Amino acid sequence: EVLPSDFLHARLVLLRYPPILQFTPRHPFAWKIDRAFVVANQAPSEEDGADLRYLVSDCVRNARQLFGVDPFWVPQGPMVRRAIEPLLPSTLLSQRDNPGIVDPSEWSGTRRKRTGTQLRIGRYSRDTEMKFPASVETMLKVYPSDGNFVVDIMGGTKTVPNIFGGDRNVPSNWVLRPYGSMSPQDFLDSIDVFVYFDHPTTVEAFGRSILEAMASGC
């Protein structure tokens, strides 16, 4: 652990969350830094301009003031690259993306064969509207209300009722759980099929839950 006032030499500083550069201390760090990388794991905003998280120009300026170098940007995926590419000089943008990864050994070989007459469809994400379809019509196309299915959603106790206009309108074959109420491994082990569908204006930097489901064999 080091403090901004510590005198040190860092050959490389990695900043894995651009919004931390949006509002920064006024005084420069005492560090001597050779290079600084910003791993852009979020787009500046959604495609329609909603949910503005950071301004690329502010982050570059603030990093230069803090560290004395212009940061080199590494997108986490192609959607983020498309969002920040027009806002940066080409000399500050990596030619390669830096996608997130999972360790397959933590996920594979844990699933049990399920039995029963109902196919269990599941999904998990943060409980926010940008992680879900925008309308009831799309929700029901993706997640059936047919009693032959069970739809199990972890991370939708607030958003899903809001989409349907109240708890009483949520289909009776749906199970809503708080986000984080069980481990992703246990959740994936309890369903047959993982189906993830989000908001049409969302810029998805990296769908980690999708990769976790794939790694588990779900």
Side-chain angles (χ1 to χ4, degrees):
E1 180 180 357
V2 295
L3 301 176
S5 57
D6 290 342
F7 291 96
L8 61 92
H9 178 203
R11 288 180 294 173
L12 176 63
V13 169
L14 288 175
L15 303 159
R16 196 191 165 271
Y17 186 57
I20 64 175
L21 288 172
Q22 184 62 55
F23 301 102
T24 54
R26 294 179 57 189
H27 301 291
F29 282 29
W31 308 353
K32 181 184 183 305
I33 293 173
D34 294 340
R35 304 179 76 189
F37 281 16
V38 176
V39 179
N41 65 326
Q42 278 190 332
S45 69
E46 304 303 352
E47 284 196 323
D48 61 354
D51 194 18
L52 181 62
R53 306 175 188 106
Y54 63 92
L55 299 175
V56 172
S57 58
D58 285 2
C59 294
V60 171
R61 183 184 66 247
N62 291 340
R64 184 186 304 129
Q65 178 185 345
L66 284 182
F67 305 129
V69 295
D70 286 336
F72 191 65
W73 290 65
V74 185
Q76 191 157 8
M79 297 288 283
V80 176
R81 173 179 294 277
R82 189 174 72 182
I84 67 175
E85 192 168 25
L87 308 174
L88 280 168
S90 59
T91 54
L92 295 183
L93 182 62
S94 168
Q95 296 302 305
R96 295 184 178 183
D97 297 338
N98 182 40
I101 60 174
V102 299
D103 182 352
S105 67
E106 296 180 2
W107 301 89
S108 60
T110 63
R111 291 181 54 76
R112 299 184 299 270
K113 184 177 181 179
R114 292 183 46 76
T115 60
T117 58
Q118 293 175 300
L119 186 73
R120 197 170 190 94
I121 298 172
R123 59 156 287 160
Y124 59 92
S125 70
R126 288 187 292 108
D127 196 350
T128 172
E129 65 177 11
M130 302 311 296
K131 296 293 187 181
F132 287 88
S135 67
V136 171
E137 291 75 20
T138 304
M139 284 286 284
L140 293 177
K141 286 180 181 179
V142 179
Y143 305 106
S145 59
D146 186 327
N148 292 319
F149 303 88
V150 174
V151 175
D152 197 339
I153 298 175
M154 184 167 69
T157 55
K158 293 182 290 187
T159 302
V160 173
N162 285 344
I163 294 172
F164 279 90
D167 291 276
R168 67 180 64 184
N169 298 324
V170 177
S172 58
N173 64 314
W174 289 24
V175 178
L176 304 182
R177 308 174 188 269
Y179 182 59
S181 57
M182 59 194 302
S183 72
Q185 288 93 335
D186 288 342
F187 181 82
L188 291 169
D189 195 34
S190 72
I191 64 175
D192 299 304
V193 182
F194 184 86
V195 179
Y196 181 79
F197 201 93
D198 59 20
H199 199 279
T201 63
T202 293
V203 180
E204 185 65 88
F206 171 63
R208 185 175 186 86
S209 60
I210 300 170
L211 187 58
E212 290 171 350
M214 293 171 66
S216 75
C218 185

